[in-house]
């Protein structure tokens, strides 16, 4: 479910990232101040503090030191972030910078029962091709809220510019993640999904090269396409969003992010894995799970 991100200084828009939607909601300026995080809102399950890091794709595949990292220290967003400020996803609800808070080394985005939520774009670190990794989780709560990490075209030319939702938590039970790669003027999509307990911390990564797109969770590949005809044509940047799709429940939602990392690619650098992807991973109905036989670490 695409969500649109906007670059700093762009006015409000009715289309905001999220599976196939267009454009970021208007973003506030960079270095946005964020108040201390609140306790879990009514209707959301409590989330334990971050413990341990688990395996990361960056370490498993030897990506080296990231070019840029934000581990959300202090009580404000770090440099380079733009907060959406305006109408919500697809015009539903409101995007408010105040709904994104930083405390105890964690970014928290809360959503109210009437659709006030937040979205953030790392617009200062736009690039064509690269690797991104995000450690995040989402509690159970409102079925109206989707939590996601995505890449959005910096030229704001969705759908032609593409969109890669590499970790979208849509199911109210938070028991799977989904991937949507949008492409073409008609907003075509390919899709994948993975069973996982998304209420717990996991490390979600995406690698975008001239030869394809690969998604990882906790250091293991789970989705890949080598169809170069569907790849984004220009630079993109990372976005973090809690999107509201009103279903009349009136409950609150929440997502949390422990850190984000980004790497560039050296000239001619290709995929970290040699697999062609899980069976069906380039098809619209792709559904897969990590096994010892398919896309395992030893198969890289």
């Amino acid at each position: 479910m695409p969500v649109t991100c906007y670059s700093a200084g762009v006015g409000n828009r009715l289309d905001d990232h999220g599976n196939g939607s267009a454009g970021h909601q208007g973003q506030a300026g960079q270095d946005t101040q964020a108040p201390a995080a609140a306790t879990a809102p009514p209707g959301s399950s409590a989330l334990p503090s971050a413990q341990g890091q688990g395996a990361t794709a960056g370490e498993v595949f030897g990506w080296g030191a990231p070019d840029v990292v934000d581990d959300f220290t202090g009580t404000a967003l770090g440099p380079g972030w733009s907060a959406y400020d305006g109408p919500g996803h697809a015009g539903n609800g409101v995007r408010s910078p105040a709904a994104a808070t930083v405390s105890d080394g964690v970014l928290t985005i809360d959503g109210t029962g009437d659709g006030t939520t937040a979205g953030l774009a790392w617009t200062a670190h736009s690039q064509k091709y690269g690797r991104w990794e995000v450690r995040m989780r989402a509690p159970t709560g409102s079925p109206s809220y989707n939590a996601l990490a995505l890449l959005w075209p910096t030229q704001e030319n969705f759908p032609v510019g593409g969109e890669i939702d590499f970790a979208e938590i849509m199911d109210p039970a938070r028991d799977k993640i989904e991937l949507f790669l949008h492409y073409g003027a008609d907003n075509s999509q390919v899709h994948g999904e993975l069973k996982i307990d998304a209420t717990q911390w996991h490390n979600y990564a995406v690698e975008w090269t001239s030869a394809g797109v690969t998604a990882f969770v906790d250091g293991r590949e789970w989705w890949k396409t080598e169809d170069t005809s569907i790849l984004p044509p220009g630079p993109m940047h990372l976005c973090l969003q809690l999107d509201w799709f009103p279903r009349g429940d009136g409950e609150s939602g929440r997502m949390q992010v422990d850190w984000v990392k980004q790497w560039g690619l050296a000239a001619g650098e290709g995929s970290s894995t040699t697999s062609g992807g899980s069976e069906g991973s380039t098809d619209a109905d792709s559904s897969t799970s990590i096994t010892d036989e398919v896309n395992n670490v030893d198969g890289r």
Side-chain angles (χ1 to χ4, degrees):
M1 315 180 70
V3 253
T4 338
C5 295
Y6 293 4
S7 52
V10 175
N12 293 344
R13 298 189 183 178
L14 294 181
D15 39 349
D16 163 285
H17 295 302
N19 296 335
S21 50
H24 296 301
Q25 288 306 317
Q27 295 172 356
Q30 297 178 2
D31 304 323
T32 307
Q33 287 296 115
T39 56
S44 293
S45 58
L47 290 172
S49 59
Q51 296 179 359
Q53 293 297 303
T56 68
E59 294 171 340
V60 170
F61 296 100
W63 293 348
D67 295 328
V68 60
V69 177
D70 195 336
D71 56 7
F72 302 109
T73 57
T75 58
L77 291 169
W81 291 102
S82 296
Y84 309 170
D85 189 5
H89 174 73
N92 295 314
V94 175
R95 293 291 195 183
S96 170
T101 60
V102 177
S103 180
D104 298 326
V106 173
L107 164 70
T108 299
I109 300 179
D110 283 312
T112 64
D114 61 358
T116 299
T117 182
L120 304 172
W122 222 12
T123 49
H125 305 295
S126 172
Q127 62 186 26
K128 185 173 182 179
Y129 306 133
R131 298 166 176 134
W132 293 259
E133 192 155 22
V134 174
R135 182 168 177 80
M136 73 176 190
R137 64 184 174 184
T140 55
S142 171
S144 297
Y145 278 106
N146 292 2
L148 70 160
L150 67 138
L151 302 183
W152 182 256
T154 301
Q155 293 183 8
E156 295 294 339
N157 58 342
F158 178 88
V160 174
E163 177 179 353
I164 304 174
D165 307 306
F166 63 92
E168 181 155 12
I169 305 167
M170 301 172 59
D171 194 288
R174 306 302 192 225
D175 60 1
K176 66 180 177 181
I177 58 167
E178 298 187 56
L179 179 148
F180 296 86
L181 193 159
H182 300 259
Y183 65 96
D186 61 350
N187 188 24
S188 296
Q189 303 176 33
V190 292
H191 169 248
E193 61 183 53
L194 176 69
K195 289 290 186 179
I196 196 168
D197 182 358
T199 68
Q200 301 300 308
W201 288 109
H202 291 286
N203 305 320
Y204 303 103
V206 63
E207 177 181 69
W208 168 36
T209 74
S210 61
V213 171
T214 309
F216 306 84
V217 63
D218 297 331
R220 304 185 74 181
E221 175 192 314
W222 74 271
W223 189 93
K224 186 175 185 178
T225 181
E226 293 181 321
D227 183 352
T228 58
S229 70
I230 67 175
L231 300 184
M236 307 190 88
H237 56 266
L238 176 71
C239 297
L240 304 172
Q241 297 178 189
L242 184 64
D243 291 347
W244 191 56
F245 295 81
R247 293 178 173 86
D249 56 281
E251 297 180 56
S252 58
R254 169 173 280 192
M255 66 179 287
Q256 290 192 306
V257 182
D258 188 16
W259 47 253
V260 296
K261 302 176 182 179
Q262 179 174 321
W263 295 258
L265 292 181
E269 190 172 4
S271 174
S272 297
T273 65
T274 57
S275 74
S278 300
E279 182 178 357
S281 67
T282 60
D283 297 334
D285 296 325
S286 170
S287 178
T288 187
S289 60
I290 296 175
T291 70
D292 291 335
E293 293 77 33
V294 179
N295 292 335
N296 60 20
V297 172
D298 292 337
R300 69 180 184 274

